[in-house]
Amino acid sequence: MAALTPYQSWGRYPRALPAGVRSLRFRDQPLPRVAGSVLPFGNGRSYGDSCLNNGGTLLATRGLDRFLAFDPATGLIRCEAGVLLSEILSLTVGGGWFLPVTPGTRYVTVGGAIANDVHGKNHHLAGTFGHQVIRLELLRSSGERLRCGPTERADLFAATIGGLGLTGLITWAEFRLKRIANPYVQVERTRFDHLDGFFELALGADREHEYTVAWIDCLASGRHLGRGIYLAGNHAAPTCEDAPRPPGRAPSIPFDPPLSLIATPTLRAFNEIFYRKQPRRPTNGVEHFAPFFYPLDGIGQWNRIYGPKGFLQYQSVVPMSAGRDATRAMLACIAGSGQGSFLSVLKVFGDRPAAGLLSFPRPGVTLALDFPYKGRATLRLFETLDTLVAQAGGAIYPAKDAHMSPRLFAAGYPRVDEFRRHLDPAFSSSFWRRVTGAVA
């Protein structure tokens, strides 16, 4: 039996104590027989409680870390579910292959990327990670091993994509990588002075760039509400010049500070400096893929800066028809609260239909921010944001969530009853029980 305490979510809120942890080493082994429910646990990069199983058993999957096949001519790769995206990049970037879709950290497992149907800066063109999966194997508690794909057991496949690990254990998956000429990205950065400036840039940049996203000053208000810096990038051409050296070993936060290091005065000062550092005129340059796609991976254990109480991320999506007004209202509410963090991200999702029954990405505007957990003050802010999201017909991202009400979950995920038909009866999570009232 493995130790229990290391198994927490990235936000370290809420805390949960599993009754047991079973480490999986071989994809051909049966599921362990245990009392109560089980839940796969990858690398613990989900922020809230979707990767927790309080009182149940966690199936630790990092031992399933083998590459099974890779065709350097086509980019087709098959690997076990516990392989990290960073391990795939280490294997393939030198040979000219990159992940077709990647979230903001490369330290997630393939199984976790599928179970949360993660998205990246290229959603407007490529959709989600689930859209890239050709087939996978699902081990059910009945002992059945079921191969699933878009044309093979398609209904179970759609439930497993974004299914939060509740349809069974993903043992391996197969998907196709993207051809690149080198490890660099041609990046254009543009400063904008208000929220309308973001939407003007997004409409043009999404047509011309594969990757787009914006950093937002979450404390700016008045005529500066929604100001920020827009990033648009494409993989660099084979002949790119002045390519920077790859980043070195990342420094790490060595211990837990007694209190959160995120305070309103320092956050306001940081945002002002970061915003002003970007010249008024757009800049264009070549960057290594690591800082462009994974800026926070540049600091190890960065979640410790929030102190022992941890933090929550609030990521929402609202339809484009309501996107401008709802985003403005949410940013005004956040700025007025004085809460927030350095990480405030705004992006427009594309129109591609969702790959999974519970997939979060959908056409519209997505806003993501981290918040130090300040008890009731943070929860009151989230309740206000929830009201704005609900009024706009939006949804909250389960992989980041630690507070969503059952009512908001049902409204944001109207195919949940269809999803229930594919639940494995032995699998459950703290998140699932919280938002559905299910019993472990």
Side-chain angles (χ1 to χ4, degrees):
M1 184 76 70
L4 304 181
T5 50
Y7 294 90
Q8 59 186 1
S9 65
W10 188 245
R12 304 199 290 181
Y13 174 88
R15 300 298 173 95
L17 184 64
V21 178
R22 298 296 182 94
S23 295
L24 305 182
R25 300 292 183 190
F26 304 100
R27 65 183 179 279
D28 295 332
Q29 70 185 90
L31 289 177
R33 292 181 178 277
V34 297
S37 64
V38 298
L39 181 72
F41 185 96
N43 203 35
R45 289 299 178 122
S46 294
Y47 283 55
D49 56 0
S50 66
C51 64
L52 304 179
N53 190 15
N54 191 41
T57 297
L58 294 176
L59 305 175
T61 64
R62 274 292 286 138
L64 303 177
D65 59 355
R66 300 168 186 82
F67 289 96
L68 305 178
F70 176 58
D71 184 344
T74 65
L76 191 66
I77 189 167
R78 186 189 309 158
C79 63
E80 292 181 338
V83 171
L84 296 177
L85 300 188
S86 62
E87 294 167 340
I88 295 175
L89 293 170
S90 296
L91 175 72
T92 64
V93 167
W97 294 101
F98 196 74
L99 295 164
V101 167
T102 180
T105 173
R106 56 193 185 276
Y107 299 124
V108 302
T109 62
V110 168
I114 295 171
N116 294 287
D117 198 15
V118 298
H119 57 276
K121 297 179 177 68
N122 60 345
H123 181 273
H124 58 288
L125 294 178
T128 62
F129 195 90
H131 283 115
Q132 320 305 319
V133 179
I134 297 172
R135 62 180 62 84
L136 57 83
E137 182 185 75
L138 195 66
L139 175 57
R140 303 273 286 187
S141 61
S142 63
E144 292 179 287
R145 292 180 180 274
L146 305 174
R147 290 197 177 194
C148 308
T151 60
E152 184 179 13
R153 296 188 180 89
D155 51 351
L156 181 57
F157 180 73
T160 301
I161 301 298
L164 304 171
L166 298 171
T167 62
L169 174 71
I170 300 170
T171 59
W172 58 260
E174 185 175 275
F175 51 96
R176 199 178 303 279
L177 300 178
K178 174 185 175 57
R179 178 61 94 177
I180 56 175
N182 52 52
Y184 303 105
V185 183
Q186 189 77 39
V187 183
E188 183 175 295
R189 296 172 187 267
T190 306
R191 195 172 102 180
F192 53 93
D193 297 331
H194 43 69
L195 188 61
D196 287 340
F198 163 80
F199 284 100
E200 291 167 10
L201 286 167
L203 289 175
D206 281 5
R207 289 193 292 267
E208 300 174 1
H209 296 85
E210 185 167 2
Y211 303 101
T212 60
V213 72
W215 168 83
I216 298 290
D217 179 356
C218 67
L219 294 183
S221 58
R223 61 189 178 89
H224 295 302
L225 181 76
R227 72 179 182 181
I229 300 171
Y230 199 87
L231 283 74
N234 293 312
H235 287 287
T239 56
C240 76
E241 299 178 349
D242 301 325
R245 297 168 65 91
R249 185 182 178 89
S252 185
I253 305 296
F255 58 86
D256 291 336
L259 298 171
S260 170
L261 300 182
I262 307 297
T264 301
T266 54
L267 176 62
R268 195 179 298 281
F270 171 87
N271 283 2
E272 185 70 29
I273 294 170
F274 190 78
Y275 175 76
R276 298 290 175 191
K277 185 178 178 183
Q278 173 65 33
R280 281 198 169 277
R281 59 174 177 77
T283 58
N284 200 310
V286 176
E287 300 181 12
H288 190 268
F289 78 84
F292 177 74
F293 287 104
Y294 314 111
L296 288 176
D297 286 350
I299 304 175
Q301 298 295 312
W302 62 263
N303 55 342
R304 288 178 168 171
I305 65 175
Y306 291 96
K309 293 183 178 179
F311 72 102
L312 296 87
Q313 184 168 99
Y314 194 94
Q315 182 163 7
S316 62
V317 58
V318 296
M320 274 302 290
S321 58
R324 196 175 301 231
D325 291 342
T327 303
R328 180 177 287 109
M330 285 192 287
L331 288 174
C333 183
I334 293 165
S337 76
Q339 300 186 60
S341 72
F342 310 121
L343 177 66
S344 305
V345 174
L346 192 61
K347 176 172 171 57
V348 175
F349 280 147
D351 294 333
R352 191 165 179 176
L357 300 181
L358 296 187
S359 291
F360 164 72
R362 63 200 68 185
V365 185
T366 182
L367 174 66
L369 301 97
D370 288 348
F371 294 88
Y373 180 58
K374 297 182 178 179
R376 188 61 197 151
T378 302
L379 298 180
R380 274 199 304 269
L381 171 62
F382 278 28
E383 289 165 3
T384 304
L385 296 176
D386 285 350
T387 299
L388 296 171
V389 171
Q391 290 173 344
I396 304 297
Y397 193 7
K400 307 288 183 67
D401 181 64
H403 83 284
M404 183 177 10
S405 69
R407 184 176 181 180
L408 186 55
F409 177 70
Y413 295 88
R415 300 183 74 180
V416 64
D417 287 339
E418 187 180 351
F419 172 78
R420 289 179 204 272
R421 296 200 291 269
H422 303 286
L423 276 171
D424 188 300
F427 285 62
S428 185
S429 69
S430 297
F431 170 86
W432 182 250
R433 295 190 291 274
R434 174 167 59 83
V435 299
T436 67
V439 177

